[in-house]
Amino acid sequence: QVQLVESGGGLVQAGGSLRLSCATSGIIFSINAMAWYRQAPGKQRELVASITSGRNTAYADSAKGRFTISRDNAKNTVYLQMNSLKPEDTAVYFCNAGYTLGGLKRASWGQGTQVTVSS
């Protein structure tokens, strides 16, 4: 299995920046792609950004130009750099890993980290 631990959330003013980290452990060699999701109160969880093992990235429209997803394989960590934050970015941010185990595709989730952007 793959274990994920997020960190880096907090309270920031609009226009500020935060960097979220997601430390991975377990059978990390089996990870195909990783992603950041977020869930605001009363809303569904939504995809924010993703990165493949080949470092191809994709972003939600709301994140394009402001957020950057990256990975440091030496540290087994994935990051989400968030700039120009807006109050509507307030949510719990979750790290997700897609991996293959026993020929089956699986997914792991972190516990989430709260991001609050004040106006």
Side-chain angles (χ1 to χ4, degrees), residues 55-92:
R55 299 182 185 273
N56 293 316
T57 59
Y59 297 91
D61 287 343
S62 59
K64 289 179 181 177
R66 300 188 300 127
F67 295 2
T68 303
I69 189 171
S70 61
R71 60 194 299 168
D72 184 334
N73 290 336
K75 295 183 178 180
N76 298 324
T77 300
V78 173
Y79 303 98
L80 183 68
Q81 177 67 44
M82 305 186 293
N83 299 327
S84 302
L85 283 162
K86 305 175 182 179
E88 50 263 45
D89 294 318
T90 295
V92 178

Side-chain angles (χ1 to χ4, degrees), residues 1-5 22-36 50-56 69-78 95-102 104-110:
Q1 292 185 347
V2 174
Q3 292 80 43
L4 308 173
V5 178
C22 175
T24 65
S25 61
I27 49 173
I28 56 178
F29 59 86
S30 65
I31 295 176
N32 303 313
M34 296 196 67
W36 286 96
S50 63
I51 185 167
T52 68
S53 56
R55 299 182 185 273
N56 293 316
I69 189 171
S70 61
R71 60 194 299 168
D72 184 334
N73 290 336
K75 295 183 178 180
N76 298 324
T77 300
V78 173
C95 183
N96 167 274
Y99 63 101
T100 301
L101 179 62
L104 298 176
K105 292 188 176 181
R106 299 171 185 263
S108 287
W109 292 90

